[in-house]
Amino acid sequence: MSHDLVIANGTVATASDMFSADIGIRDGRVAQIGGDMGSAARTIDATGRYVLPGGIDSHVHIAQPSGPGIEMADDFDSATRSAAFGGNTMVMPFCLQERGDSLAATFRDYRAQAEGRSHVDVGFHLIVTDPTPSVLGQELPALIEEGHRSVKVFMTYEALRMDDAEILATMDVARRHGAKVLVHCENEDVIAFLARRAEQAGDMAPRAHATTRPVAAEREATHRALTLAEVVDVPIVIVHVSNGAAMEEIARARMRGLDITAETCPQYLMLEGEDLSRENWEGAKFVCSPPPRNRTEQENCWRGLQTGLFDLFSSDHCPFRYADDKGKRNPKGLRSFRHIPNGIPGVETRLPILFSEGVMKGRIDLPRFVALTATNHARAYGLYPRKGTIAVGSDADIAIWDPGIRRTIQHADLHDGSDYTPYEGLEVQGRPETVLLRGRPIIEDGQMVSKCQGAIVERHEGL
Ligand code: DUC
Ligand code: ZN
Ligand code: ZN
């Protein structure tokens, strides 16, 4: 057999196994694992390296409308470039319907922004904020039939949230047409009440973002979202879980037989609410929702990654610039925490942080790392086994990691459009040094070697 590319002498890991084998790649797919590879147009020597499925980051925000005067720091070019340097071969951003707009027209425009401008493959989730009769009756069913199998709804953010009746109606359409529903679980009335009280007391600084979005608001909303999904009998994804009380709600609902996918993110392992207290408004760099909690909750989230409570480890990459009046230091945001745009960059640091803090520090093994960062994302969103694994016939989306490299995370070395990283100064061990997208190198020796080869992945496609 002849191959376009052979990866020789590496240690391969999937979500279930680790083994020494050469990988033969032909026509963009894995053609052979182990045995006599025959001839190859090119061979990469992976001695001492781990050969892993490329990361799939199924929760990123790219060029998403963010309210008057506010602009996200990334377009598809910069976000997917950053993703590739971080060892990813696919991202899944959200197409956000703004109230009053057509979901179908919004999707057409959003897809066009990604086309030809992405360095890794892209698959889309939909966000419904305005469940009008035409959206629920025609547009959403048609989009689901076209292959969009995941719809996000918000319980918080005044401009995005839906009430329980609207969420139920949206869930019902998703169930009937075969999509799962992702839910952002925070109780908006609790948050609005606490935020008003904080402002009246003159408590305007970034730290109040965390104190006005307490664990109880997330726990209650998680319970309610699960209850609504139970009533409708729709598969649900609880995204960006930050704490043990919400995890308990998920565990209890699983015992009742619900189909739940649960996700956490690096910020809930590495950051704390106290980070929002940094001086000179620097706390704004850590404003995201739900907010980072404390050491105990970090440990709870680690436990959830270890035990299988969490299926997905995603970045929730949502970058705004810090020193920018369209970002974290916008004029209104400098007056009150309520106007600081929510979200932090993280698509490039997600995998290095979990590799270093998880695998290198012995908290999780390499197959679990692969499951949490690639395989389970592919399974959850209808991409497996084409994506998310190394198997004969799968897309050759592969990251080759050098586990020996130690470095300090600094924004100067990252590639997103923001001007900071919340993980500045964090020491990590391990780096994805070569990344292949459908068999073609996109990153080699820490350099980008391709241009916008990313494809839009239609979710109904099989192998
Ligand atoms: N919270 C969200 O819900 N989405 C993006 C970022 C954030 O902080
Ligand atoms: Zn969210
Ligand atoms: Zn998000």
Side-chain angles (χ1 to χ4, degrees):
M1 205 182 257
S2 73
H3 296 293
D4 301 329
L5 178 66
V6 166
I7 304 169
N9 309 314
T11 300
V12 181
T14 66
S16 54
D17 296 301
M18 275 175 78
F19 50 92
S20 299
D22 296 350
I23 306 284
I25 295 166
R26 201 167 345 106
D27 297 331
R29 297 193 178 201
V30 175
Q32 187 180 339
I33 302 175
D36 179 2
M37 286 288 143
S39 63
R42 184 179 168 197
T43 298
I44 294 176
D45 181 18
T47 302
R49 310 288 195 265
Y50 291 131
V51 180
L52 310 181
I56 300 175
D57 195 339
S58 64
H59 188 153
V60 300
H61 302 268
I62 302 174
Q64 190 174 291
S66 304
I70 304 297
E71 213 170 85
M72 252 181 210
D74 270 332
D75 57 14
F76 277 88
D77 182 349
S78 58
T80 59
R81 179 190 306 270
S82 187
F85 275 102
N88 299 285
T89 49
M90 183 162 182
V91 295
M92 299 189 69
F94 294 85
C95 166
L96 170 77
Q97 176 208 22
E98 292 187 278
R99 288 199 186 130
D101 287 354
S102 146
L103 181 61
T106 303
F107 178 69
R108 266 198 314 277
D109 294 347
Y110 193 59
R111 189 186 200 282
Q113 288 186 51
E115 201 134 37
R117 297 199 186 94
S118 299
H119 298 276
V120 299
D121 285 355
V122 174
F124 297 101
H125 306 290
L126 305 171
I127 295 176
V128 173
T129 63
D130 196 3
T132 60
S134 66
V135 166
L136 292 191
Q138 287 103 46
E139 295 190 13
L140 185 56
L143 286 161
I144 296 173
E145 297 304 328
E146 279 170 28
H148 299 279
R149 305 273 163 189
S150 46
V151 182
K152 186 176 181 189
V153 299
F154 284 86
M155 296 174 125
T156 183
Y157 299 134
E158 208 33 66
L160 308 179
R161 68 180 291 207
M162 298 202 288
D163 64 23
D164 290 357
E166 292 171 321
I167 293 174
L168 281 165
T170 307
M171 284 180 164
D172 194 41
V173 173
R175 181 193 61 80
R176 280 190 279 117
H177 294 274
K180 44 181 73 167
V181 179
L182 292 71
V183 188
H184 180 130
C185 301
E186 288 184 289
N187 181 317
E188 176 65 17
D189 289 339
V190 168
I191 293 162
F193 167 77
L194 293 175
R196 215 174 306 118
R197 207 171 66 177
E199 284 195 332
Q200 279 164 2
D203 187 4
M204 304 290 195
R207 178 74 175 101
H209 172 80
T211 52
T212 59
R213 290 179 170 265
V215 163
E218 184 182 343
R219 186 205 62 224
E220 183 281 331
T222 303
H223 174 77
R224 186 156 36 97
L226 291 165
T227 303
L228 302 183
E230 184 175 353
V231 167
V232 172
D233 190 23
V234 71
I236 185 171
V237 183
I238 305 291
V239 292
H240 48 48
V241 175
S242 74
N243 67 83
M247 289 164 58
E248 282 171 13
E249 296 297 340
I250 292 165
R252 258 197 291 278
R254 280 196 175 129
M255 297 280 282
R256 299 196 295 277
L258 271 73
D259 180 349
I260 306 167
T261 304
E263 174 195 81
T264 193
C265 312
Q267 47 270 40
Y268 306 119
L269 306 178
M270 305 305 297
L271 305 178
E272 295 183 55
E274 265 311 307
D275 286 314
L276 280 75
S277 304
R278 299 218 189 157
E279 288 184 352
N280 301 323
W281 222 254
E282 292 248 338
K285 291 180 174 177
F286 305 88
V287 166
C288 60
S289 296
R293 307 292 183 186
N294 56 34
R295 291 279 167 96
T296 304
E297 300 300 1
Q298 290 176 348
E299 285 310 313
N300 285 334
C301 290
W302 274 115
R303 199 164 30 81
L305 291 172
Q306 290 163 334
T307 59
L309 185 126
F310 290 123
D311 308 286
L312 307 178
F313 185 71
S314 310
S315 68
D316 199 3
H317 178 76
C318 185
F320 297 94
R321 290 173 59 80
Y322 174 66
D324 196 316
D325 60 12
K326 292 187 182 132
K328 297 283 189 181
R329 292 178 67 92
N330 71 82
K332 278 165 81 181
L334 286 171
R335 285 201 295 276
S336 166
F337 67 92
R338 272 200 312 118
H339 303 291
I340 299 169
N342 281 215
I344 57 176
V347 73
E348 193 167 342
T349 46
R350 171 185 77 126
L351 298 177
I353 287 173
L354 190 65
F355 190 90
S356 184
E357 293 289 321
V359 180
M360 289 292 125
K361 293 196 175 169
R363 289 173 164 126
I364 57 171
D365 61 17
L366 208 47
R368 184 86 189 118
F369 173 87
V370 170
L372 286 165
T373 59
T375 315
N376 292 352
H377 300 252
R379 285 188 192 279
Y381 296 120
L383 302 160
Y384 186 86
R386 179 177 167 196
K387 300 287 189 189
T389 192
I390 297 177
V392 171
S394 297
D395 281 0
D397 294 340
I398 290 173
I400 304 175
W401 283 70
D402 183 341
I405 295 181
R406 289 173 189 276
R407 63 200 164 112
T408 303
I409 292 179
Q410 41 186 15
H411 186 262
D413 297 334
L414 301 178
H415 302 83
D416 61 82
S418 183
D419 56 355
Y420 78 96
T421 167
Y423 306 107
E424 188 79 28
L426 179 70
E427 307 235 340
V428 290
Q429 183 177 350
R431 191 179 82 153
E433 59 178 13
T434 301
V435 180
L436 308 178
L437 178 66
R438 285 174 277 102
R440 287 206 222 163
I442 55 172
I443 303 287
E444 280 198 272
D445 298 325
Q447 301 295 319
M448 181 154 264
V449 293
S450 73
K451 186 131 185 60
C452 296
Q453 298 293 325
I456 292 173
V457 179
E458 306 298 346
R459 304 259 290 283
H460 52 267
E461 284 176 18
L463 264 179

